[in-house]
């Protein structure tokens, strides 16, 4: 299935599942190297990062924990700019090394909001790991320590990412055909 249709849009394969999984493995190795002695707490951002977070966690072979938060700002294919935390942490993060797991950083507003919010709880550090980053779309300065792929400013679905609710189950990443 090279070309697919979701709602009103056509999409074509952009990054094949094999390439995604190879890169996820590399990211996991890099994170393990840095954090194996630290027992970090992963904080995965729902909904989009659920598949990435699961694959990433499978490659961690040292003691680590994961929690989920839900932050919402995106409607359709345009970021609304307003960010809201709609599901919070159930565990304190004071003095913990935290690694945020995100599917895609677009304007950067979501992660910037979440980072600042988590900082109030005084973790010992916060690192960011995002499968995808759109550097041309960034509206805030953001240090992303672990990036899977830097991509152009096109709308993507698959591997957890959705277009108005659909497409998260697709194994590859697909790009909208304009
Ligand atoms: P930001 O706040 O603009 O960085 O948006 C981040 C959130 O918007 C991500 O967590 C995604 O859920 C969503 N998002 C951004 N770009 C895309 C895309 O190309 N496809 C699907 N969702 C996206
Ligand atoms: Mg997301």
């Amino acid at each position: 299935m090279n070309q697919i249709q979701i709602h009103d849009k056509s999409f074509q394969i952009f990054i094949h599942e094999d390439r995604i999984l190879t890169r996820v493995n590399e990211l996991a190795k890099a994170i393990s190297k840095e954090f194996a002695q630290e027992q970090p707490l992963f904080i995965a951002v729902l909904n989009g990062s659920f598949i990435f977070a699961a694959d990433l966690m499978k490659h961690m072979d040292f003691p680590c924990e994961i929690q989920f938060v839900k932050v919402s700002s995106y409607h359709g294919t345009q970021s609304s700019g307003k960010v809201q935390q709609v599901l919070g942490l159930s565990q304190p993060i004071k003095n913990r090394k935290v690694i945020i797991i995100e599917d895609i950083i677009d304007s950067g507003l979501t992660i910037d909001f979440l980072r600042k919010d988590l900082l109030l709880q005084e973790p010992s550090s916060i690192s960011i790991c995002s499968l995808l980053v759109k550097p041309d779309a960034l509206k805030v300065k953001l240090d992303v320590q672990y990036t899977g792929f830097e991509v152009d400013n096109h709308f993507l679905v698959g591997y957890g990412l959705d277009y108005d609710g659909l497409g998260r189950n697709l194994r590859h990443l697909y790009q909208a055909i304009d």
Side-chain angles (χ1 to χ4, degrees):
M1 258 203 306
N2 280 333
Q3 193 163 324
I4 53 158
Q5 180 82 22
I6 300 178
H7 301 302
D8 57 333
K9 280 189 178 296
S10 298
F11 292 84
Q12 65 192 14
I13 287 199
F14 178 56
I15 306 179
H16 193 280
E17 178 185 26
D18 294 347
R19 218 178 125 214
I20 300 172
L21 294 178
T22 301
R23 187 70 189 122
V24 171
N25 195 359
E26 288 171 1
L27 290 174
K29 285 214 170 85
I31 292 173
S32 302
K33 213 170 149 195
E34 190 177 340
F35 289 93
Q37 310 305 321
E38 316 276 1
Q39 198 167 321
L41 173 66
F42 290 96
I43 297 183
V45 186
L46 294 172
N47 294 323
S49 76
F50 77 112
I51 292 182
F52 175 44
D55 283 343
L56 196 66
M57 286 295 282
K58 284 190 242 171
H59 292 289
M60 303 293 163
D61 52 5
F62 60 94
C64 56
E65 296 165 75
I66 189 162
Q67 287 267 316
F68 297 88
V69 293
K70 191 163 182 177
V71 186
S72 146
S73 84
Y74 224 77
H75 300 288
T77 61
Q78 289 294 313
S79 186
S80 70
K82 288 194 205 100
V83 185
Q84 244 188 328
Q85 187 158 339
V86 286
L87 178 74
L89 287 174
S90 56
Q91 184 182 334
I93 60 167
K94 194 172 163 80
N95 298 329
R96 295 291 306 268
K97 297 224 171 200
V98 164
I99 304 170
I100 299 175
I101 304 178
E102 176 63 306
D103 55 349
I104 183 162
I105 296 176
D106 183 280
S107 68
L109 293 170
T110 303
I111 290 301
D112 191 49
F113 168 88
L114 181 62
R115 212 185 119 266
K116 287 178 177 150
D117 200 48
L118 294 176
L119 274 175
L120 299 175
Q121 296 186 49
E122 301 176 21
S124 57
S125 69
I126 298 181
S127 307
I128 299 170
C129 173
S130 186
L131 178 68
L132 301 151
V133 178
K134 293 179 181 171
D136 294 341
L138 275 177
K139 288 187 184 150
V140 285
K141 200 185 147 336
L142 209 58
D143 282 333
V144 182
Q145 285 72 25
Y146 300 97
T147 299
F149 304 94
E150 285 196 349
V151 296
D152 287 343
N153 212 349
H154 290 290
F155 191 76
L156 305 177
V157 291
Y159 195 71
L161 285 78
D162 73 308
Y163 172 39
D164 273 346
L166 297 181
R168 297 193 194 276
N169 54 310
L170 299 164
R171 302 170 80 99
H172 315 295
L173 274 161
Y174 291 78
Q175 175 181 296
I177 304 167
D178 303 315

